[in-house]
Amino acid sequence: MKRLFVTGGTGFIGARFVPLALEAGYSVRVLTRNVQAVERWRSAGAVPVQGDLLTPGPWQEEAAASEAVVHLAQPLTFGARVTHQRAEAYQQQRLRMDSLLLESLKPGSVRRVLYVAGTSYYGDQGRALVTEEATPRPSGWGPYIAPAIEALPGYLARGLPLVEAYPGSVYGLGSWFEEYALVPLKKGKPLYGLKETQTHQMSFIHVDDCARSLLHLLEHGAVGQRYFVVDDAPATFAELSQLAADAMRVTYRKRFLPHWLAWLALGPVVTDSLTAEARLSNARLRATGLQLRYPTPREGVPALVQQWLERQAQTR
């Protein structure tokens, strides 16, 4: 069994990734600050490691002793209006997290490090389908994760076997799509968006396929390479919402917010991310031999709706 150290295992994607890694035969160490999560991970078959990525500690020895590392953790990005000042604090925290983790690893003993970033680093790419070789135009959170990403070549030069993964907009149970689409649709409420972005397409991926892709890249990704973790078909938020409404058999109604109101309510960082358009190719990911379970939102969104409705029925 390979020894695997995971940061961000309690997060949205990590909570799906860790069970897959256990099923694949990895001996998984999960870093957690949450005392309550310790017993949960232990009962699931993982080894909980208590610690905080922002604070040096014994967890660094656990990371250094592992054959593989998956770095999913990032500072919190939600819960309040996002100002530039708040985003700059996020930037500094992310740099510190990366430094404490990556500096603790030993080239030659760690065999693979999967670094999970975000496609906001590539920003607004317009209407063309682009590959990982496209020139980044960071938008939204992109300018604040750029320093961390641009530090990675230094770690590669030091001998760390880094593979970079860039998930698109990930949807699934517990995601933004549940909060901003499924819940209001079920209640018969309209969905809100920006008028100027109604035809903007983005690249999506179901959370289960995202977790499967990360495990696949851990084993088959090429060191020094970047991979977009997205499905086959870029789409608009309206198209995903219509698919969800059809699966629920409800009417999809939409309303548009003026740009200035979104800026006031959400802050400049989130508003900037909402106005970006990026159609990303998954050809490099596909070339590794991965087969997606939900290759387009036409398969993924109805499956999510069914899962969500079943969970709603169980909690009544």
Side-chain angles (χ1 to χ4, degrees):
M1 293 175 67
K2 301 173 187 175
R3 180 165 168 159
L4 170 63
F5 186 83
V6 179
T7 74
T10 56
F12 172 51
I13 299 172
R16 274 77 167 182
F17 173 82
V18 171
L20 289 178
L22 289 167
E23 186 179 332
Y26 285 90
S27 177
V28 183
R29 270 73 175 161
V30 183
L31 181 65
T32 180
R33 295 173 300 174
N34 189 338
V35 176
Q36 296 177 339
V38 169
E39 190 55 42
R40 185 169 72 248
W41 283 125
R42 189 175 287 124
S43 63
V47 178
V49 177
Q50 288 187 262
D52 188 332
L53 271 177
L54 289 169
T55 306
W59 65 266
Q60 292 171 294
E61 298 174 11
E62 290 282 354
S66 299
E67 296 175 76
V69 174
V70 173
H71 185 26
L72 273 161
Q74 61 174 314
L76 293 178
T77 59
F78 54 87
R81 181 176 182 270
V82 182
T83 61
H84 291 301
Q85 182 179 11
R86 187 162 178 251
E88 287 166 2
Y90 166 93
Q91 173 181 298
Q92 294 306 312
Q93 289 176 6
R94 181 161 189 142
L95 285 169
R96 180 166 175 77
M97 286 179 168
D98 287 4
S99 176
L100 288 176
L101 174 65
L102 298 178
E103 292 289 349
S104 71
L105 303 181
K106 301 173 183 177
S109 61
V110 62
R111 295 166 57 186
R112 191 61 55 90
V113 180
L114 184 64
Y115 184 96
V116 183
T119 53
S120 61
Y121 173 65
Y122 279 84
D124 194 338
Q125 294 289 329
R127 295 182 174 273
L129 188 69
V130 300
T131 70
E132 294 85 349
E133 305 306 319
T135 300
R137 299 184 178 93
S139 63
W141 285 103
Y144 304 98
I145 67 173
I149 292 171
E150 290 162 4
L152 297 180
Y155 291 106
L156 267 170
R158 195 166 67 86
L160 287 185
L162 282 166
V163 179
E164 299 174 39
Y166 292 76
S169 294
V170 186
Y171 65 92
L173 290 177
S175 72
W176 57 272
F177 191 67
E178 178 180 340
E179 179 180 356
Y180 294 111
L182 302 188
V183 171
L185 281 172
K186 186 66 174 176
K187 293 180 178 179
K189 296 182 178 180
L191 306 190
Y192 290 88
L194 295 173
K195 189 171 185 179
E196 62 265 37
T197 65
Q198 59 183 318
T199 61
H200 283 196
Q201 291 188 343
M202 302 169 62
S203 289
F204 297 91
I205 190 163
H206 191 288
V207 65
D208 292 345
D209 273 338
C210 183
R212 290 176 60 247
S213 298
L214 296 181
L215 183 62
H216 183 83
L217 287 175
L218 181 65
E219 299 174 343
H220 301 287
V223 171
Q225 197 73 277
R226 290 178 176 176
Y227 295 87
F228 288 147
V229 179
V230 297
D231 67 20
D232 297 348
T236 66
F237 175 72
E239 288 169 338
L240 263 69
S241 300
Q242 187 63 64
L243 288 169
D246 292 344
M248 287 186 191
R249 298 182 180 179
V250 298
T251 301
Y252 168 42
R253 295 181 294 119
K254 52 188 173 183
R255 290 182 182 171
F256 297 113
L257 293 173
H259 190 278
W260 64 266
L261 183 57
W263 197 94
L264 285 175
L266 304 174
V269 176
V270 175
T271 304
D272 189 26
S273 67
L274 291 175
T275 57
E277 183 168 20
R279 309 178 188 198
L280 309 175
S281 169
N282 65 6
R284 182 175 290 174
L285 176 66
R286 285 285 202 177
T288 64
L290 179 73
Q291 296 294 318
L292 296 176
R293 186 169 296 157
Y294 307 109
T296 77
R298 290 190 175 278
E299 295 83 26
V301 171
L304 167 60
V305 169
Q306 182 178 353
Q307 292 173 331
W308 186 72
L309 291 176
E310 289 173 353
R311 190 183 67 177
Q312 293 291 304
Q314 292 170 0
T315 56
R316 287 175 184 169

